Amino acid sequence: MMRRYDMKNVGGIDRLFRFILSFPLLFVLFYLDSNWRYVGLIGLVLLFNTLTRICFINRIFGINSCQIKRGTGERPL
């Protein structure tokens, strides 16, 4: 059984990068009328990853940039 803290796999710098990159992509999504608008959907995915700290692609490849200790649910000091 996976615990909630075991699901989080997006850490600090990775999270900040996704947050900053999501805004220009959301701008493309809402303000362009060409086919480039669909590239802006990536901004929604990145914003979801930032807010929930869960990335399913990271899980598939076994990548974890989150600094939570396994088994305790606490951050290291």
Side-chain angles (χ1 to χ4, degrees), residues 8-11 15 48-55 66 75:
K8 294 182 180 179
N9 59 6
V10 178
R15 189 175 179 197
F48 172 79
N49 293 155
T50 300
L51 296 175
T52 61
R53 300 183 79 166
I54 298 170
C55 179
C66 191
R75 296 185 184 275

Side-chain angles (χ1 to χ4, degrees), residues 2-46:
M2 294 199 86
R3 296 182 188 102
R4 185 158 177 87
Y5 56 83
D6 286 339
M7 293 180 67
K8 294 182 180 179
N9 59 6
V10 178
I13 293 176
D14 190 15
R15 189 175 179 197
L16 179 66
F17 175 74
R18 291 169 192 249
F19 183 73
I20 292 171
L21 189 61
S22 68
F23 286 106
L25 290 171
L26 289 173
F27 176 81
V28 167
L29 175 65
F30 291 112
Y31 290 105
L32 289 184
D33 289 330
S34 66
N35 287 337
W36 282 99
R37 137 192 263 176
Y38 299 109
V39 173
L41 291 173
I42 297 170
L44 289 175
V45 174
L46 292 176

Side-chain angles (χ1 to χ4, degrees), residues 9-11 14 18 55-65:
N9 59 6
V10 178
D14 190 15
R18 291 169 192 249
C55 179
F56 297 107
I57 294 175
N58 281 3
R59 177 158 314 186
I60 290 170
F61 290 113
I63 300 169
N64 185 0
S65 61

